[in-house]
């Protein structure tokens, strides 16, 4: 709860098992509505974002993944890191929309 980054944990069944207040705020969903829910119900496979691809890689290949991706529903760019665990994956993310837009302007 002390972190400035969004955080959630997904168990091996892809259910939300932990979530911090930053993630609640960014996603716009209260943690009581997320805990125990399947990730895929909220973020199904889509060509609009790559989160599922990276999260499967972290979980199935036991690899740390770090990536940037755009989430159209929130109109924001995020940097995310997923760490594999025995019980699933930990996901840390932050809104990098301003930084992303500044880079584009500089180019």
């Amino acid at each position: 709860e002390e972190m400035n980054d969004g955080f959630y944990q997904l168990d091996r069944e892809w259910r939300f098992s932990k979530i911090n207040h930053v993630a609640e705020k960014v996603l716009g969903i209260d943690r009581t509505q997320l805990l125990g829910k399947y990730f895929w119900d909220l973020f199904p496979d889509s060509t609009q974002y790559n989160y599922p691809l990276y999260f499967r890689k972290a979980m199935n290949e036991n690899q740390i993944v770090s990536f940037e991706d755009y989430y159209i529903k929130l109109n924001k760019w995020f940097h995310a890191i997923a760490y594999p665990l025995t019980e699933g994956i930990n996901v840390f993310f932050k809104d990098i929309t301003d930084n992303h837009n500044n880079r584009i302007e500089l180019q």
Side-chain angles (χ1 to χ4, degrees), residues 45-81:
D45 286 316
S46 173
T47 57
Q48 296 180 336
Y49 50 80
N50 295 306
Y51 293 93
L53 172 73
Y54 289 110
F55 291 167
R56 282 189 181 100
K57 183 173 186 153
M59 182 94 73
N60 298 335
E61 297 178 23
N62 199 35
Q63 290 186 12
I64 296 171
V65 295
S66 176
F67 61 95
E68 293 181 4
D69 206 358
Y70 179 73
Y71 188 55
I72 195 166
K73 286 185 180 182
L74 297 176
N75 191 30
K76 293 183 184 264
W77 281 90
F78 292 96
H79 177 256
I81 302 173

Side-chain angles (χ1 to χ4, degrees), residues 8-11 14 55 58-59 82-85 87-91:
Y8 53 86
Q9 185 177 80
L10 301 172
D11 67 17
W14 298 98
F55 291 167
M59 182 94 73
Y83 295 92
L85 309 164
E87 60 270 9
I89 59 172
N90 278 346
V91 177

